[in-house]
């Protein structure tokens, strides 16, 4: 608890370190004073390191619990929507009807993009990966939007947060339309946040079951504590760079197959496995230390239990495929068989490897008609809410530039040797 101390005995001296209590989950030992004792902590991958304080999201990896500002993800996925979750993450409270209406109108009012951004998109080759397009377009917003923002001004931060939440669907839709070789669409003022996104992508008003499925996918991807892309947004933002650049850095980090790129990799994996009879071969490959193959959509740095988001998406998968009349979807059957076999396999059991958020999301997105190469842009569309809420929280706290140190293992000082004298 607060006031408690930990002591580190090293080289004949005892260093007293403060312990800070968490509201939920792990307390922390504050090691920030260690540098004064000429020593660092060492934690590659930040497995045991809390990089910041935050009040947005709590994960209990052992219990498979995910809370946003104290509300269970199961309740938010079932009863809320992306804009309400955005309001909750940004402000800390669920909105009243009046507050929600004002927030929703503010978001819907700034979904448009500058005309120049459409030209930037058209200049990209059509076979550009959608995440490359999204990364480019988000960074390009810095060329058209006001970037001289007083980060210490709460209302200025809220304004740019609303802008980014509002424009991300239009950016993603632009990337998907350009990839499909279709005309670029603009927001329809008559439509709401998620149905407008789908209408911009597909050029027609979406059916309610698809809107509901997309809404749930966005809510489930909204925020997830200090994951790699959120930590990237925080680190970039800590330099004082503008939020469009910081979010663009987050998009780049999310793209990786170990992170948000896994949903695309899951579909590629299922298509490579092809048939239930090949499952054993791929499970063996996943356990072979000499084979780089991993079971995509499985495992998690924090969850050592079923990712609660995966459980919700598993149910949603059935509902969506049922209503889209593709219940017999071979990919779903293969995914279910693969999951069942992995969950009873000692290798996965011993390492506590369970399905994560990416395992089922791709099957739903494929059924909706999103190309697999664009799955991670949908992840980014959900996560813009968490990225900008975390960025906002960081700027509200006492901001220090993020600057990790290292364990240096290079050569000691040596004299320069002119090239003719080198061996
Ligand atoms: C996301 O951080 C977040 O919150 C991320 C995220 C979010 O919402 O932001 O939840 C989204 O990124 C979900 C994860 C999506 N990625 C994948 O599905 C890719 C496949 N998963 C793995 O690459 C891996 O599980 C990670 C990257 C997700 C986690 O890696 P860790 O925590 O560094 O774990 P590890 O690599 O140390 O694994 C421990 C052991 C190792 O074996 P041993 O050395 O002990 O013998 O488990 C093995 C690993 O080889 N292992 C796997 C595996 N995942 C871990 N073996 C086979 N298949 C896998 N998927």
């Amino acid at each position: 608890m607060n006031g408690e101390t930990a002591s580190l005995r090293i080289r004949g001296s005892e260093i007293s370190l403060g312990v800070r209590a968490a509201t939920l989950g792990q307390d922390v030992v504050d090691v920030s004073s260690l540098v004064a004792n000429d020593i660092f902590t060492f934690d590659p991958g930040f497995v045991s390191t809390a990089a910041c304080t935050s009040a947005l999201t709590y994960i209990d990896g052992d219990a498979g619990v995910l809370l946003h500002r104290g509300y269970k993800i199961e309740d938010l996925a079932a009863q809320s929507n992306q804009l309400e979750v955005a309001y909750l993450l940004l402000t800390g409270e669920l909105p009243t009807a009046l507050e929600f209406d004002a927030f929703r109108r503010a978001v819907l009012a700034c979904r448009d993009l500058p005309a120049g951004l459409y030209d930037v998109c058209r200049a990209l080759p059509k076979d550009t990966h959608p995440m490359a397009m999204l990364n480019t377009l988000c960074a390009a917003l810095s060329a058209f939007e006001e970037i001289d923002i007083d980060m210490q001004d709460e209302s200025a931060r809220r304004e740019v947060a609303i802008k980014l939440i509002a424009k991300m669907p239009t950016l993603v839709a632009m990337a998907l339309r350009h990839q499909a070789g279709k005309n670029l669409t603009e927001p329809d003022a008559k439509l709401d946040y998620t149905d407008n996104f789908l209408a911009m992508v597909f050029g027609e008003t979406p059916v309610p079951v698809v809107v509901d499925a997309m809404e749930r996918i966005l809510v489930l991807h909204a925020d997830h504590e200090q994951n790699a892309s959120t930590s990237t947004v925080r680190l970039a933002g800590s330099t004082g760079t503008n939020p469009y650049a910081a979010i663009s850095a987050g998009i780049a980090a999310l793209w990786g197959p170990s992170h948000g790129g896994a949903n695309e990799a899951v579909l590629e994996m299922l298509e490579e496995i092809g048939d239930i009879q090949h499952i054993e071969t791929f499970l063996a490959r996943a356990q072979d230390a000499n084979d780089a193959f991993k079971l995509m959509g499985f495992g998690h740095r924090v969850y050592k239990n079923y990712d609660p988001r995966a459980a919700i998406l598993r149910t949603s998968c059935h509902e969506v495929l049922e209503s889209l009349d593709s219940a017999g979807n071979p990919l779903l059957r293969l995914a279910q068989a693969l999951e069942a076999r992995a969950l009873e396999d000692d290798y996965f059991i011993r390492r506590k490897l369970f399905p994560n958020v990416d395992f089922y999301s791709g099957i739903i997105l494929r059924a909706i008609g999103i190309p697999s190469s664009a799955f991670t842009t949908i992840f980014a569309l959900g996560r813009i809410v968490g990225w900008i809420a975390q960025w906002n929280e960081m700027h509200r706290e006492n901001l220090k530039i993020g600057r990790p140190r290292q364990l240096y293992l290079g050569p000691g000082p040596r004299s320069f040797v002119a090239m003719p004298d080198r061996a």
Side-chain angles (χ1 to χ4, degrees):
M1 79 270 313
N2 284 328
E4 188 184 357
T5 59
S7 60
L8 175 65
R9 268 194 296 284
I10 185 165
R11 296 173 192 149
S13 60
E14 183 158 319
I15 304 166
S16 178
L17 300 167
V19 174
R20 293 188 63 181
T23 317
L24 292 173
Q26 294 80 357
D27 296 341
V28 299
V29 176
D30 184 342
V31 296
S32 51
S33 64
L34 268 187
V35 64
N37 297 277
D38 224 14
I39 194 159
F40 298 147
T41 59
F42 184 64
D43 184 18
F46 311 116
V47 179
S48 302
T49 295
C52 63
T53 60
S54 181
L56 269 65
T57 291
Y58 171 68
I59 303 172
D60 180 334
D62 292 329
V65 168
L66 169 56
L67 307 177
H68 290 316
R69 299 284 195 176
Y71 294 97
K72 290 195 315 188
I73 191 61
E74 292 82 358
D75 293 343
L76 294 171
Q79 303 176 57
S80 188
N81 60 64
Q82 185 67 346
L83 287 189
E84 186 174 56
V85 169
Y87 185 97
L88 172 65
L89 287 169
L90 278 167
T91 67
E93 297 300 333
L94 287 170
T96 62
L98 274 179
E99 288 166 337
F100 180 67
D101 184 53
F103 180 74
R104 176 180 164 276
R105 276 188 288 107
V107 170
L108 300 192
C110 51
R111 294 181 282 190
D112 290 324
L113 292 173
L117 219 63
Y118 287 83
D119 298 335
V120 170
C121 186
R122 290 189 187 100
L124 297 172
K126 285 192 175 31
D127 62 355
T128 304
H129 192 286
M131 281 299 277
M133 287 192 206
L134 185 59
N135 202 354
T136 305
L137 295 170
C138 184
L141 274 175
S142 312
F144 299 94
E145 296 290 337
E146 176 53 61
I147 57 172
D148 185 14
I149 298 160
D150 175 2
M151 315 289 189
Q152 297 316 306
D153 178 345
E154 184 97 24
S155 60
R157 294 202 307 269
R158 182 181 172 102
E159 185 184 338
V160 74
I162 285 173
K163 272 187 180 177
L164 272 157
I165 292 168
K167 297 182 186 306
M168 192 56 78
T170 318
L171 290 176
V172 173
M174 183 188 279
L176 270 61
R177 295 285 292 187
H178 187 57
Q179 181 194 39
K182 295 179 179 170
N183 62 307
L184 303 186
T185 45
E186 296 182 5
D188 179 342
K190 297 188 297 301
L191 296 177
D192 212 329
Y193 187 76
T194 303
D195 49 357
N196 172 61
F197 165 65
L198 291 162
M200 285 191 288
V201 171
F202 296 113
E204 58 188 24
T205 307
V207 296
V209 67
V210 171
V211 178
D212 292 347
M214 183 57 73
E215 195 77 59
R216 197 170 304 126
I217 285 175
L218 296 183
V219 166
L220 291 172
H221 287 80
D223 188 49
H224 211 241
E225 202 212 72
Q226 305 310 318
N227 59 86
S229 54
T230 298
S231 299
T232 302
V233 170
R234 278 182 172 259
L235 189 59
S238 75
T239 70
T241 190
N242 72 77
Y244 303 103
I247 297 297
S248 181
I251 292 171
L254 184 73
W255 193 356
S258 290
H259 188 17
N263 52 20
E264 176 182 1
V266 167
L267 258 290
E268 288 164 359
M269 174 187 73
L270 291 174
E271 285 167 344
E272 189 184 1
I273 295 173
D275 189 283
I276 289 175
Q277 65 184 341
H278 302 145
I279 285 177
E280 297 310 320
T281 306
F282 282 84
L283 282 181
R285 285 189 57 195
Q287 305 175 36
D288 180 353
N290 300 314
D291 189 330
F293 175 79
K294 288 202 183 293
L295 206 61
M296 301 314 280
F298 260 74
H300 198 278
R301 172 60 58 77
V302 177
Y303 288 121
K304 301 309 171 189
N305 199 328
Y306 214 103
D307 180 336
R309 302 168 298 173
I312 296 165
L313 283 168
R314 189 167 183 269
T315 306
S316 183
C317 224
H318 278 284
E319 291 162 3
V320 173
L321 297 186
E322 200 74 39
S323 37
L324 293 179
D325 197 23
S326 44
N329 184 300
L331 280 180
L332 175 59
R333 280 208 313 276
L334 179 57
Q336 289 169 316
L338 178 61
E339 175 193 11
R341 268 293 295 114
L343 291 179
E344 63 189 21
D345 186 292
D346 185 54
Y347 172 92
F348 290 86
I349 293 169
R350 274 189 294 110
R351 290 167 180 79
K352 299 184 178 178
L353 302 176
F354 291 85
N356 60 49
V357 68
D358 292 303
F359 190 66
Y360 282 104
S361 57
I363 299 170
I364 299 174
L365 292 172
R366 163 70 64 83
I368 287 175
I370 303 285
S372 54
S373 61
F375 287 175
T376 311
T377 63
I378 305 300
F379 193 139
L381 177 53
R383 189 53 55 89
I384 181 61
V385 160
W387 285 334
I388 201 65
Q390 297 266 356
W391 171 87
N392 179 58
E393 181 182 59
M394 174 184 71
H395 279 291
R396 198 175 44 244
E397 315 294 329
N398 57 335
L399 180 70
K400 278 177 80 69
I401 186 170
R403 204 298 188 193
R405 301 302 304 273
Q406 64 181 9
L407 171 65
Y408 177 70
L409 298 177
R414 49 185 174 161
S415 306
F416 184 80
V417 176
M419 191 173 290
D421 304 330
R422 293 172 203 161

